[in-house]
Amino acid sequence: MTPEDIQLLFTRESGEFLFARWGRPIVPIVFGVEVETLTTVKGAFEAVVSLADHKMAETDPELGANCMVFFFRDWKELLEVPDLDRLVPDLTPLVDRLIAADANQYRVFRFEEDGSIRAAFVFLRMDKELSKIPAETLALSQVVQAILLWSDTAFRTQSPLAVAEGVTVLRPDIAGLIRAAYDPVLPGAAQDPAHGLRLFARMQQSQ
């Protein structure tokens, strides 16, 4: 992975470079699944957070849970979730846009004053396409996409996952980038593309 490759992963379609990682311990909560799937999703969080050498916690002092994952069949179900409109601004027009786009997933982030991630909301509409994906694969993919503020185009053409000997795993280059992104020497957020060079340097040091 070159410095340019890294920069592209955090450069939005608008051309803006925007990097952010979590600034506080992650407290996930999952809605709309059976206990077995819940265990799978929490296991994915534990694996990715451990990889990043970040932390999880039982509760967030402000929000209770700060990473909410919703599984559902119809976008309109989100409008019935109590108080979700207080956590996600402009929820109704957002739902209308997602219905119009026939989207099956969406992520919303909230940020600390320093720009690092404060909370994340992951929405998964379980259409035919997502329902075909094994729970372990779907969970790992979603947690990877929530651990950093990736570009809106980052994984449009290539998944962050790969298959090794029949098992779905995180791509080694993406795993190395996540580890580098959580290096305590680096800031929790950056808007300068030069941050891609710093991430690249950290990846080289860890090899």
Side-chain angles (χ1 to χ4, degrees), residues 89-168:
D90 302 318
L91 181 62
T92 299
L94 172 62
V95 165
D96 290 341
R97 286 202 308 276
L98 293 169
I99 291 172
D102 196 29
N104 60 13
Q105 57 183 287
Y106 192 74
R107 281 166 293 279
V108 177
F109 291 89
R110 289 174 61 185
F111 301 95
E112 310 278 12
E113 286 188 13
D114 68 355
S116 59
I117 299 171
R118 178 186 181 202
F121 305 88
V122 180
F123 302 120
L124 298 169
R125 179 175 69 86
M126 298 304 292
D127 62 0
K128 285 182 181 178
E129 186 180 330
L130 286 189
S131 297
K132 290 178 188 171
I133 301 172
E136 294 83 356
T137 302
L138 184 59
L140 182 57
S141 171
Q142 294 303 321
V143 174
V144 166
Q145 292 181 79
I147 194 72
L148 293 171
L149 181 67
W150 304 96
S151 157
D152 48 353
T153 62
F155 304 117
R156 191 174 286 176
T157 57
Q158 187 177 16
S159 168
L161 309 184
V163 177
E165 298 180 358
V167 178
T168 300

Coordinates of all heavy atoms in Angstrom, one line a residue, residues 89-168:
P89 N -29.6 13.6 13.5 CA -30.3 14.8 13.0 C -30.9 14.5 11.6 O -30.3 13.8 10.8 CB -29.2 15.9 12.9 CG -28.1 15.4 13.8 CD -28.1 13.9 13.8
D90 N -32.0 15.2 11.4 CA -32.7 15.1 10.1 C -33.0 13.6 9.7 O -32.7 13.2 8.5 CB -31.9 15.8 9.0 CG -31.6 17.3 9.3 OD1 -32.6 17.9 9.8 OD2 -30.5 17.7 9.1
L91 N -33.4 12.8 10.6 CA -33.6 11.4 10.4 C -34.7 11.2 9.3 O -34.4 10.3 8.4 CB -34.1 10.7 11.7 CG -34.3 9.2 11.6 CD1 -33.0 8.5 11.2 CD2 -34.8 8.6 12.9
T92 N -35.8 11.9 9.3 CA -36.8 11.6 8.3 C -36.4 11.9 6.9 O -36.5 11.0 6.0 CB -38.1 12.5 8.6 OG1 -38.6 12.1 9.9 CG2 -39.2 12.2 7.6
P93 N -35.7 13.1 6.5 CA -35.2 13.2 5.2 C -34.1 12.2 4.8 O -34.0 11.8 3.6 CB -34.7 14.7 5.1 CG -34.7 15.1 6.6 CD -35.6 14.3 7.3
L94 N -33.3 11.8 5.8 CA -32.3 10.8 5.5 C -32.9 9.5 5.1 O -32.5 8.9 4.1 CB -31.4 10.6 6.8 CG -30.4 9.4 6.7 CD1 -29.4 9.7 5.6 CD2 -29.7 9.2 8.1
V95 N -34.0 9.1 5.8 CA -34.7 7.8 5.5 C -35.3 7.9 4.1 O -35.2 7.0 3.3 CB -35.8 7.5 6.6 CG1 -36.7 6.5 6.0 CG2 -35.1 7.0 7.9
D96 N -35.9 9.1 3.8 CA -36.4 9.3 2.4 C -35.4 9.1 1.4 O -35.6 8.5 0.3 CB -37.1 10.7 2.3 CG -38.4 10.8 3.2 OD1 -38.9 9.7 3.5 OD2 -38.8 11.9 3.5
R97 N -34.2 9.7 1.6 CA -33.1 9.6 0.6 C -32.6 8.2 0.5 O -32.3 7.7 -0.6 CB -31.9 10.5 1.0 CG -32.1 12.0 0.9 CD -30.8 12.7 0.8 NE -29.9 12.4 1.9 CZ -29.9 13.0 3.1 NH1 -30.8 14.0 3.3 NH2 -29.0 12.7 4.0
L98 N -32.5 7.4 1.6 CA -32.0 6.1 1.5 C -33.0 5.1 0.8 O -32.7 4.2 0.1 CB -31.7 5.6 2.9 CG -30.6 6.3 3.6 CD1 -30.5 5.9 5.1 CD2 -29.2 5.9 2.9
I99 N -34.3 5.4 1.0 CA -35.4 4.6 0.3 C -35.3 4.9 -1.2 O -35.3 4.0 -2.0 CB -36.8 5.0 0.9 CG1 -37.0 4.5 2.3 CG2 -37.9 4.4 -0.1 CD1 -38.2 5.0 3.0
A100 N -35.1 6.2 -1.5 CA -35.1 6.6 -3.0 C -33.8 5.9 -3.6 O -33.9 5.6 -4.8 CB -35.0 8.1 -3.1
A101 N -32.7 5.8 -2.9 CA -31.5 5.2 -3.4 C -31.5 3.7 -3.4 O -30.6 3.1 -3.9 CB -30.3 5.8 -2.7
D102 N -32.5 3.1 -2.8 CA -32.6 1.7 -2.6 C -31.3 1.2 -1.8 O -30.8 0.1 -2.2 CB -32.8 0.9 -3.9 CG -33.2 -0.5 -3.7 OD1 -33.9 -0.8 -2.7 OD2 -32.9 -1.4 -4.6
A103 N -30.9 1.9 -0.9 CA -29.7 1.6 -0.1 C -29.9 0.4 0.8 O -31.1 0.3 1.3 CB -29.2 2.8 0.6
N104 N -28.9 -0.3 1.1 CA -29.1 -1.4 2.1 C -28.2 -1.2 3.3 O -28.2 -2.0 4.3 CB -28.8 -2.8 1.5 CG -27.4 -3.0 0.9 OD1 -26.5 -2.2 1.1 ND2 -27.3 -4.0 0.1
Q105 N -27.4 -0.1 3.3 CA -26.6 0.2 4.5 C -26.2 1.6 4.5 O -26.1 2.3 3.5 CB -25.3 -0.7 4.6 CG -24.4 -0.6 3.3 CD -23.2 -1.5 3.4 OE1 -22.3 -1.3 4.2 NE2 -23.3 -2.6 2.6
Y106 N -26.0 2.1 5.7 CA -25.6 3.5 5.9 C -25.0 3.7 7.3 O -25.3 3.0 8.2 CB -26.8 4.5 5.8 CG -26.5 5.9 5.6 CD1 -26.0 6.4 4.4 CD2 -26.6 6.8 6.7 CE1 -25.6 7.8 4.3 CE2 -26.3 8.2 6.5 CZ -25.8 8.6 5.3 OH -25.5 10.0 5.2
R107 N -24.0 4.6 7.4 CA -23.3 4.9 8.7 C -23.4 6.4 8.9 O -23.1 7.2 8.0 CB -21.9 4.4 8.6 CG -21.7 2.9 8.8 CD -20.4 2.4 8.5 NE -20.1 2.5 7.0 CZ -20.6 1.6 6.2 NH1 -21.3 0.5 6.6 NH2 -20.4 1.7 4.9
V108 N -23.6 6.7 10.2 CA -23.6 8.1 10.6 C -22.6 8.2 11.8 O -22.7 7.4 12.7 CB -25.0 8.6 11.1 CG1 -25.0 10.0 11.6 CG2 -26.1 8.5 10.0
F109 N -21.8 9.2 11.7 CA -20.8 9.5 12.8 C -21.1 10.8 13.5 O -21.5 11.7 12.9 CB -19.4 9.5 12.2 CG -18.9 8.1 11.7 CD1 -19.1 7.7 10.4 CD2 -18.2 7.3 12.5 CE1 -18.7 6.5 9.9 CE2 -17.7 6.0 12.1 CZ -18.0 5.7 10.8
R110 N -20.8 10.8 14.8 CA -20.7 12.1 15.5 C -19.3 12.2 16.1 O -18.6 11.3 16.3 CB -21.8 12.1 16.6 CG -23.2 12.1 16.1 CD -24.2 12.0 17.2 NE -24.1 13.0 18.2 CZ -24.8 13.0 19.3 NH1 -25.7 12.0 19.6 NH2 -24.7 14.0 20.2
F111 N -18.9 13.5 16.3 CA -17.5 13.8 16.6 C -17.3 14.6 17.8 O -18.2 15.4 18.3 CB -16.9 14.5 15.4 CG -17.0 13.7 14.1 CD1 -18.1 14.0 13.2 CD2 -16.1 12.8 13.8 CE1 -18.2 13.3 12.0 CE2 -16.2 12.0 12.6 CZ -17.2 12.3 11.7
E112 N -16.1 14.4 18.4 CA -15.7 15.2 19.6 C -15.2 16.6 19.1 O -15.1 16.8 17.9 CB -14.5 14.5 20.3 CG -14.6 13.0 20.6 CD -15.4 12.8 21.9 OE1 -16.0 13.7 22.4 OE2 -15.4 11.6 22.3
E113 N -14.9 17.4 20.0 CA -14.5 18.8 19.6 C -13.2 18.7 18.9 O -12.9 19.6 18.0 CB -14.3 19.7 20.9 CG -15.6 20.1 21.5 CD -15.5 21.1 22.6 OE1 -14.3 21.6 22.8 OE2 -16.4 21.4 23.3
D114 N -12.3 17.7 19.1 CA -11.1 17.7 18.4 C -11.2 16.9 17.1 O -10.2 16.8 16.4 CB -10.0 17.0 19.3 CG -10.3 15.5 19.5 OD1 -11.3 15.0 19.1 OD2 -9.4 14.8 20.1
G115 N -12.4 16.5 16.7 CA -12.6 15.9 15.4 C -12.6 14.4 15.5 O -12.9 13.7 14.5
S116 N -12.2 13.8 16.6 CA -12.2 12.3 16.7 C -13.6 11.8 16.8 O -14.5 12.5 17.1 CB -11.3 11.8 17.8 OG -11.8 12.4 19.1
I117 N -13.8 10.5 16.6 CA -15.1 9.9 16.6 C -15.7 9.8 18.0 O -15.0 9.3 18.9 CB -15.1 8.5 15.9 CG1 -14.7 8.7 14.4 CG2 -16.5 7.9 16.0 CD1 -14.4 7.3 13.8
R118 N -16.9 10.3 18.2 CA -17.6 10.2 19.5 C -18.6 9.1 19.5 O -18.9 8.5 20.5 CB -18.2 11.6 19.7 CG -19.0 11.6 21.0 CD -19.7 13.0 21.1 NE -20.4 13.1 22.4 CZ -21.4 13.9 22.6 NH1 -21.8 14.7 21.6 NH2 -22.1 14.0 23.7
A119 N -19.3 8.9 18.4 CA -20.4 7.9 18.3 C -20.6 7.5 16.8 O -20.2 8.3 15.9 CB -21.7 8.5 18.9
A120 N -21.1 6.3 16.6 CA -21.4 5.9 15.3 C -22.7 5.1 15.3 O -23.1 4.4 16.3 CB -20.3 5.0 14.8
F121 N -23.5 5.3 14.2 CA -24.8 4.6 14.0 C -24.7 3.8 12.7 O -24.4 4.4 11.7 CB -25.9 5.6 14.0 CG -26.0 6.4 15.2 CD1 -25.2 7.6 15.3 CD2 -26.7 6.1 16.3 CE1 -25.3 8.4 16.4 CE2 -26.7 6.9 17.5 CZ -26.0 8.0 17.5
V122 N -24.8 2.5 12.8 CA -24.7 1.6 11.6 C -26.1 1.1 11.3 O -26.7 0.4 12.1 CB -23.7 0.5 11.9 CG1 -23.6 -0.4 10.6 CG2 -22.3 1.1 12.2
F123 N -26.6 1.3 10.1 CA -27.9 0.9 9.7 C -27.8 -0.1 8.6 O -27.2 0.1 7.5 CB -28.7 2.1 9.2 CG -28.9 3.2 10.2 CD1 -28.4 4.5 10.0 CD2 -29.5 2.9 11.4 CE1 -28.6 5.5 10.9 CE2 -29.6 3.9 12.4 CZ -29.2 5.2 12.1
L124 N -28.4 -1.3 8.8 CA -28.3 -2.4 7.8 C -29.7 -2.9 7.4 O -30.4 -3.5 8.3 CB -27.5 -3.6 8.3 CG -26.0 -3.2 8.7 CD1 -25.4 -4.4 9.5 CD2 -25.2 -3.0 7.4
R125 N -30.1 -2.6 6.2 CA -31.4 -3.1 5.8 C -31.2 -4.4 5.1 O -30.5 -4.5 4.1 CB -32.0 -2.1 4.7 CG -33.4 -2.6 4.2 CD -34.0 -1.6 3.3 NE -33.3 -1.4 2.0 CZ -33.5 -2.1 0.9 NH1 -34.4 -3.1 0.9 NH2 -32.8 -1.9 -0.2
M126 N -31.7 -5.5 5.8 CA -31.4 -6.8 5.3 C -32.2 -7.2 4.1 O -33.2 -8.0 4.2 CB -31.6 -7.8 6.5 CG -30.7 -7.5 7.7 SD -28.9 -7.5 7.3 CE -28.7 -9.3 6.9
D127 N -31.8 -6.7 3.0 CA -32.4 -7.1 1.7 C -31.8 -8.4 1.2 O -31.0 -9.1 1.9 CB -32.2 -6.0 0.6 CG -30.7 -5.7 0.3 OD1 -29.8 -6.4 0.9 OD2 -30.4 -4.9 -0.5
K128 N -32.2 -8.9 0.0 CA -31.7 -10.2 -0.5 C -30.2 -10.2 -0.5 O -29.5 -11.2 -0.2 CB -32.3 -10.4 -1.9 CG -33.7 -10.8 -1.9 CD -34.2 -11.1 -3.3 CE -35.7 -11.5 -3.3 NZ -36.2 -11.8 -4.7
E129 N -29.6 -9.1 -0.9 CA -28.1 -9.1 -1.1 C -27.4 -9.3 0.3 O -26.5 -10.1 0.4 CB -27.7 -7.7 -1.7 CG -26.2 -7.6 -2.1 CD -25.9 -6.3 -2.7 OE1 -26.7 -5.7 -3.3 OE2 -24.7 -5.8 -2.5
L130 N -27.8 -8.5 1.3 CA -27.1 -8.6 2.6 C -27.5 -9.9 3.3 O -26.6 -10.4 4.0 CB -27.5 -7.4 3.5 CG -26.9 -6.0 3.2 CD1 -27.2 -5.0 4.3 CD2 -25.4 -6.1 3.0
S131 N -28.7 -10.4 3.0 CA -29.1 -11.6 3.7 C -28.3 -12.9 3.2 O -28.2 -13.9 3.9 CB -30.6 -11.9 3.4 OG -31.4 -10.8 4.0
K132 N -27.7 -12.7 2.0 CA -26.9 -13.8 1.5 C -25.5 -13.9 2.2 O -24.8 -14.9 2.1 CB -26.6 -13.7 0.0 CG -27.9 -13.9 -0.9 CD -27.5 -13.6 -2.3 CE -28.7 -13.6 -3.2 NZ -28.4 -13.1 -4.6
I133 N -25.1 -12.8 2.8 CA -23.7 -12.7 3.4 C -23.7 -13.4 4.8 O -24.6 -13.2 5.6 CB -23.3 -11.3 3.5 CG1 -23.3 -10.6 2.2 CG2 -21.9 -11.2 4.2 CD1 -23.1 -9.1 2.2
P134 N -22.7 -14.3 5.0 CA -22.6 -15.0 6.3 C -22.5 -13.9 7.4 O -21.9 -12.9 7.2 CB -21.4 -15.8 6.2 CG -21.2 -16.0 4.7 CD -21.7 -14.8 4.1
A135 N -23.1 -14.2 8.6 CA -23.1 -13.2 9.7 C -21.7 -12.8 10.1 O -21.5 -11.6 10.4 CB -23.9 -13.9 10.9
E136 N -20.8 -13.7 10.1 CA -19.4 -13.4 10.5 C -18.8 -12.4 9.5 O -18.1 -11.4 10.0 CB -18.5 -14.6 10.6 CG -18.9 -15.6 11.7 CD -20.0 -16.6 11.2 OE1 -20.5 -16.4 10.1 OE2 -20.3 -17.5 12.0
T137 N -19.0 -12.6 8.3 CA -18.5 -11.7 7.2 C -19.1 -10.3 7.3 O -18.4 -9.3 7.3 CB -18.7 -12.3 5.8 OG1 -18.1 -13.6 5.8 CG2 -18.1 -11.4 4.7
L138 N -20.4 -10.3 7.4 CA -21.1 -9.0 7.5 C -20.7 -8.2 8.7 O -20.5 -7.0 8.7 CB -22.6 -9.3 7.5 CG -23.5 -8.0 7.5 CD1 -23.3 -7.2 6.2 CD2 -25.0 -8.4 7.6
A139 N -20.6 -8.9 9.9 CA -20.2 -8.3 11.1 C -18.8 -7.7 11.0 O -18.6 -6.5 11.4 CB -20.3 -9.2 12.3
L140 N -17.9 -8.5 10.5 CA -16.5 -8.0 10.4 C -16.4 -6.8 9.5 O -15.7 -5.8 9.8 CB -15.6 -9.1 9.9 CG -14.1 -8.8 9.8 CD1 -13.5 -8.3 11.2 CD2 -13.3 -10.0 9.3
S141 N -17.1 -6.9 8.4 CA -17.1 -5.8 7.4 C -17.6 -4.5 8.0 O -17.0 -3.4 7.8 CB -17.9 -6.2 6.2 OG -18.1 -5.1 5.3
Q142 N -18.7 -4.6 8.7 CA -19.3 -3.4 9.3 C -18.5 -2.8 10.4 O -18.4 -1.5 10.5 CB -20.7 -3.7 9.8 CG -21.7 -4.1 8.7 CD -21.8 -3.0 7.6 OE1 -21.9 -1.8 7.9 NE2 -21.9 -3.4 6.4
V143 N -17.9 -3.6 11.2 CA -17.0 -3.1 12.3 C -15.8 -2.4 11.8 O -15.4 -1.3 12.3 CB -16.7 -4.2 13.3 CG1 -15.7 -3.7 14.4 CG2 -17.9 -4.8 14.0
V144 N -15.2 -3.0 10.7 CA -14.0 -2.4 10.1 C -14.4 -1.0 9.6 O -13.6 0.0 9.7 CB -13.5 -3.3 9.0 CG1 -12.5 -2.5 8.1 CG2 -12.8 -4.5 9.5
Q145 N -15.6 -0.9 9.0 CA -16.0 0.4 8.4 C -16.4 1.4 9.5 O -16.6 2.6 9.2 CB -17.1 0.2 7.4 CG -16.6 -0.6 6.2 CD -17.7 -0.8 5.1 OE1 -18.1 0.1 4.4 NE2 -18.3 -2.0 5.1
A146 N -16.6 1.0 10.7 CA -17.0 1.9 11.8 C -15.8 2.2 12.7 O -15.9 3.2 13.5 CB -18.0 1.3 12.7
I147 N -14.6 1.5 12.6 CA -13.5 1.8 13.4 C -12.7 3.0 13.0 O -12.0 3.7 13.9 CB -12.5 0.5 13.4 CG1 -11.5 0.6 14.6 CG2 -11.8 0.4 12.1 CD1 -12.1 0.4 16.0
L148 N -12.9 3.5 11.8 CA -12.3 4.7 11.3 C -13.3 5.4 10.4 O -14.2 4.8 9.9 CB -11.0 4.4 10.5 CG -9.8 3.8 11.2 CD1 -8.7 3.4 10.1 CD2 -9.2 4.8 12.2
L149 N -13.1 6.7 10.2 CA -13.9 7.5 9.3 C -13.3 7.3 7.9 O -12.4 8.1 7.5 CB -14.0 8.9 9.7 CG -14.9 9.8 8.7 CD1 -16.3 9.4 8.9 CD2 -14.7 11.3 9.1
W150 N -13.6 6.3 7.2 CA -13.1 6.0 5.8 C -13.8 7.0 4.8 O -14.9 7.5 5.1 CB -13.4 4.6 5.4 CG -12.8 3.5 6.3 CD1 -13.5 2.9 7.3 CD2 -11.5 3.0 6.3 NE1 -12.7 2.0 7.9 CE2 -11.4 2.0 7.3 CE3 -10.3 3.3 5.6 CZ2 -10.3 1.3 7.6 CZ3 -9.2 2.5 5.9 CH2 -9.2 1.6 6.9
S151 N -13.2 7.1 3.7 CA -13.9 7.9 2.6 C -15.2 7.2 2.2 O -15.4 6.0 2.4 CB -13.0 7.9 1.4 OG -13.7 8.1 0.2
D152 N -16.1 7.9 1.6 CA -17.4 7.4 1.2 C -17.2 6.5 0.0 O -18.1 5.7 -0.4 CB -18.4 8.5 0.9 CG -17.8 9.6 0.0 OD1 -16.6 9.6 -0.2 OD2 -18.6 10.5 -0.4
T153 N -16.0 6.5 -0.6 CA -15.7 5.7 -1.8 C -14.7 4.6 -1.5 O -14.3 3.8 -2.4 CB -15.1 6.5 -3.0 OG1 -13.9 7.1 -2.6 CG2 -16.1 7.6 -3.4
A154 N -14.2 4.5 -0.2 CA -13.1 3.6 0.2 C -13.2 2.2 -0.3 O -12.3 1.6 -0.8 CB -12.8 3.7 1.7
F155 N -14.4 1.6 -0.1 CA -14.5 0.2 -0.4 C -15.6 -0.1 -1.4 O -16.2 -1.1 -1.5 CB -14.9 -0.6 0.9 CG -13.8 -0.4 2.0 CD1 -14.2 0.3 3.2 CD2 -12.5 -0.7 1.8 CE1 -13.2 0.5 4.2 CE2 -11.5 -0.5 2.8 CZ -11.9 0.1 4.0
R156 N -15.7 0.9 -2.3 CA -16.8 0.8 -3.3 C -16.4 -0.3 -4.4 O -17.2 -1.0 -4.9 CB -16.9 2.2 -4.0 CG -18.2 2.2 -4.9 CD -18.4 3.7 -5.4 NE -18.9 4.5 -4.4 CZ -19.1 5.8 -4.6 NH1 -18.8 6.4 -5.7 NH2 -19.6 6.6 -3.6
T157 N -15.1 -0.4 -4.7 CA -14.7 -1.4 -5.7 C -13.9 -2.6 -5.1 O -13.8 -3.6 -5.8 CB -13.8 -0.7 -6.7 OG1 -12.6 -0.1 -6.1 CG2 -14.5 0.4 -7.5
Q158 N -13.4 -2.4 -3.9 CA -12.7 -3.6 -3.3 C -13.0 -3.7 -1.8 O -13.0 -2.7 -1.1 CB -11.2 -3.4 -3.4 CG -10.4 -4.6 -3.0 CD -8.9 -4.5 -3.2 OE1 -8.4 -3.4 -3.5 NE2 -8.2 -5.6 -3.2
S159 N -13.4 -4.8 -1.3 CA -13.8 -5.0 0.1 C -12.6 -4.9 1.0 O -11.5 -5.2 0.6 CB -14.4 -6.4 0.2 OG -14.6 -6.8 1.6
P160 N -12.8 -4.5 2.2 CA -11.7 -4.6 3.2 C -11.4 -6.0 3.6 O -10.4 -6.2 4.4 CB -12.2 -3.8 4.4 CG -13.7 -3.9 4.3 CD -14.0 -4.0 2.8
L161 N -12.2 -7.0 3.2 CA -12.0 -8.4 3.6 C -11.4 -9.2 2.5 O -11.5 -8.8 1.3 CB -13.3 -9.0 4.1 CG -14.1 -8.2 5.1 CD1 -15.3 -9.0 5.5 CD2 -13.3 -7.9 6.3
A162 N -10.9 -10.3 2.8 CA -10.4 -11.3 1.8 C -10.6 -12.7 2.3 O -11.0 -12.9 3.5 CB -8.9 -11.1 1.6
V163 N -10.5 -13.7 1.4 CA -10.8 -15.1 1.8 C -9.4 -15.8 1.8 O -8.7 -15.8 0.7 CB -11.8 -15.7 0.8 CG1 -11.9 -17.2 1.2 CG2 -13.1 -15.0 0.9
A164 N -9.0 -16.4 2.9 CA -7.8 -17.1 3.0 C -8.1 -18.5 3.4 O -8.7 -18.7 4.5 CB -6.9 -16.5 4.0
E165 N -7.8 -19.5 2.6 CA -8.1 -20.9 2.9 C -9.5 -21.2 3.3 O -9.8 -21.9 4.3 CB -7.1 -21.4 4.0 CG -5.7 -21.4 3.6 CD -4.7 -21.8 4.7 OE1 -5.2 -22.2 5.7 OE2 -3.5 -21.9 4.4
G166 N -10.4 -20.5 2.6 CA -11.9 -20.7 2.8 C -12.4 -19.9 4.0 O -13.6 -20.0 4.3
V167 N -11.6 -19.1 4.7 CA -12.0 -18.3 5.8 C -12.0 -16.8 5.5 O -11.0 -16.3 4.9 CB -11.2 -18.6 7.0 CG1 -11.6 -17.7 8.2 CG2 -11.2 -20.1 7.4
T168 N -13.0 -16.1 5.8 CA -13.0 -14.6 5.5 C -12.2 -13.9 6.6 O -12.5 -14.1 7.8 CB -14.5 -14.1 5.5 OG1 -15.2 -14.8 4.5 CG2 -14.5 -12.6 5.2

